[in-house]
Amino acid sequence: MRKIRTILGTTLLALVLALLAISSFAQQTNRAEIDDKYKWNLTDIYPSDEAWRDAVNALSSELDQIETFKGTLTKSAENLLKAMKFNSNVSKEATRLYIYASMNSDLDSRDSKYNGMKQELQHLFANFGAKAAFIEPEILATDWATIDGFIKEKPELEQYRMGLENMFRTKAHSLSEGEERIMALSSTVTGTAADIYGTFRNAEMPAPKAVLTNGDTIEVTSAAYSRYRASSNREDRQRVFEAYWHNFAKFKASIGEMLNGNVKSDMFQAQARRYESSLKSALYPNNIPVDVYHSLVENVNKNLPAFHRYLEIKKRMLGVDTLKYLDLYAPVVKDVDLNYTYDEGSKLVLEALKPLGKEYTSTVKKAIDERWIDVYPTEGKVTGAYSNGAFYDGHPYILLNYNDLYDDVSTLAHELGHTMQSYFSNKNQPYPTSDYAIFVAEVASTFNEQLLFNYMVKTVKDEDVKLSLLMNWLDGFKGTLFRQTQFAEFELKIHEEAEKGNPLTGDSFSEIYDDIVKRYYGHDQNICFVDDYIDMEWAYIPHFYYNFYVYQYSTSFTASISLAEKVMSGDKKALENYMTFLSAGSSDYPIELLKAAGVDMTTAEPFEKAIAAMNKVMDEIEVILDKKGL
């Protein structure tokens, strides 16, 4: 999830970039050929670019008013309320402006028009942030008792309590007015590395070619790579892997500088605000103990034998002498093609989500029917999938790259989880607490995936299809818990190296990544052979530009397994608690919200339950394999 925040922590942009299930709907590259019902209706945000421009001009004319509040904030409850309201209204309108430009840009990253609109807004908001830099220092110049008294005097201030309390909790990391102004202005440059990476990767990076075993020559775009890595033809997988990763290696130095620039930006933010590390800087504002991060990495490394068991099952089902990294996405059940059109997949998801109640499923249907979702890949469209729930007065949006695979159905369920959390939080929370922290963002999404899996396993009768679904779940488990923790360990390591003063280059990134990936996959134990060119995979992961985001896929996944088990057992109180969680926004700290929902992430219990669930599925798979004599 990528966030740009105003002074008081209100969300300016919340994009959940979830999964790396990049689609390959290769035949449909012309957006004009796609039926409108499968495309976003962005006129819900603004009816036209002209209306957007009018809104920009209107907001611009109001921004200087922020300076009229200077020196008045702590003189009365009324003054504080006026300033908070003004800041909140600016944030809400700025968010609306930004998502319109951003999502239009995402539909065709080759079109510089909307990218230019984004840059214009970034400059505008950076200037506003500089003018508003006095707010936090001025409030912190008084004591909490005074602010608490204001809130009691003016009940309208209650909606800002959480943000104000957190401001005082993080007081040691707040700066003077002048310093805050510099920090605000710096936002125009600190995101440059991520912007360059996104533009290069999605729009300008040339695609290599590969010759398939049938003689066809293909362009190995990211979409094609995603398609052919799941091919049943091992030689084709080999050729596509080699072409794709060797192509990344040609740009190792440049992409290395991009990621190095992002790490330096994280370090700058941390050091400027007097945090002991970039990790602490990323986690402390949401009151997440760094032990949660370290424990995740340690627990995963301790449980690599369970991961290796999964790899041995994969090897057994593929019938290969040596399992290779390029085999990990290959179909393992012969003659079973889990293909679903988007319309079929939508119906499956709606059925699977019925345990969450009528309001939940009717809103999901509305999202499908009323063009909240942009479904298919087209030329220039950003890869992957995300849900953007930042349009507070409207509705969330989902970007997909749907390719008729079961993974795409699962991705749809995943993104709808994000969308529904945004929908319920926006509906039940005032704007200042409608956003939710990154730490809980992946709970609702992986919860939906779990419901879909359970529905599919219970409804299918064919043993081969069931086996395919069970393996698909394990693949998802691998991708969400082990693979994301692998990324989290890499992200932690590169920041630690930079903080020690060690240089970061494309070569050093590859060396660090190679060591981690080979350890996780048991390369030296002959569990899974990892080709040397996989040391470039770090350059493929956009999440490394989102400041310690990826670990939350893993923590959220373990939380969602625990919560889903309770809801699916028919526990009405568990369902009530879960729906309360979805509606809570940022009304409390993430750890406390999850505790109220029924899971304590400061303990090892959620992780242990997740590993137990994994072993249970592997037991079931092995029973079927033994029965089939495989």
Side-chain angles (χ1 to χ4, degrees), residues 3-13 84 86-95 125-126 128-129 132-133 135-136 167 180 184 273 431-432:
K3 289 175 183 273
I4 302 171
R5 293 179 178 275
T6 60
I7 292 296
L8 296 178
T10 328
T11 300
L12 183 57
L13 176 65
M84 298 297 279
F86 178 82
N87 192 70
S88 191
N89 289 336
V90 166
S91 174
K92 186 166 67 169
E93 185 61 21
T95 300
F125 302 149
F128 173 73
I135 295 178
E136 192 164 315
M167 187 188 295
E180 289 290 356
R273 294 197 175 279
Y431 180 73

Side-chain angles (χ1 to χ4, degrees), residues 370-383:
E370 298 187 9
R371 299 176 58 191
W372 298 10
I373 306 173
D374 201 88
V375 180
Y376 297 113
T378 52
E379 289 184 4
K381 182 178 175 180
V382 297
T383 55

Side-chain angles (χ1 to χ4, degrees), residues 271-312:
Q271 292 172 6
R273 294 197 175 279
R274 299 185 289 270
Y275 285 103
E276 59 197 62
S277 68
S278 297
L279 177 65
K280 183 84 171 182
S281 174
L283 271 59
Y284 188 78
N286 284 317
N287 208 17
I288 308 294
V290 293
D291 287 347
V292 170
Y293 196 106
H294 290 296
S295 294
L296 171 67
V297 174
E298 290 169 7
N299 281 326
V300 163
N301 276 275
K302 286 177 185 176
N303 283 277
L304 286 178
F307 182 46
H308 294 167
R309 181 188 176 193
Y310 153 79
L311 294 172
E312 293 287 4

Side-chain angles (χ1 to χ4, degrees), residues 36-42 44 103 342 359-360 362-375 386-389 391 394-400 412 415-416 418-424 426:
D36 282 349
K37 68 180 181 179
Y38 300 120
K39 296 188 286 191
W40 278 336
N41 177 17
L42 296 181
D44 287 348
M103 292 195 298
Y342 175 71
E359 183 181 6
Y360 193 102
S362 64
T363 307
V364 167
K365 191 172 188 313
K366 190 175 182 181
I368 294 167
D369 293 342
E370 298 187 9
R371 299 176 58 191
W372 298 10
I373 306 173
D374 201 88
V375 180
Y386 67 69
S387 172
N388 186 331
F391 183 20
H395 58 77
Y397 285 89
I398 292 174
L399 180 139
L400 298 177
L412 174 60
E415 299 306 335
L416 282 167
H418 289 308
T419 282
M420 294 306 294
Q421 185 168 13
S422 296
Y423 173 83
F424 282 114
N426 288 346

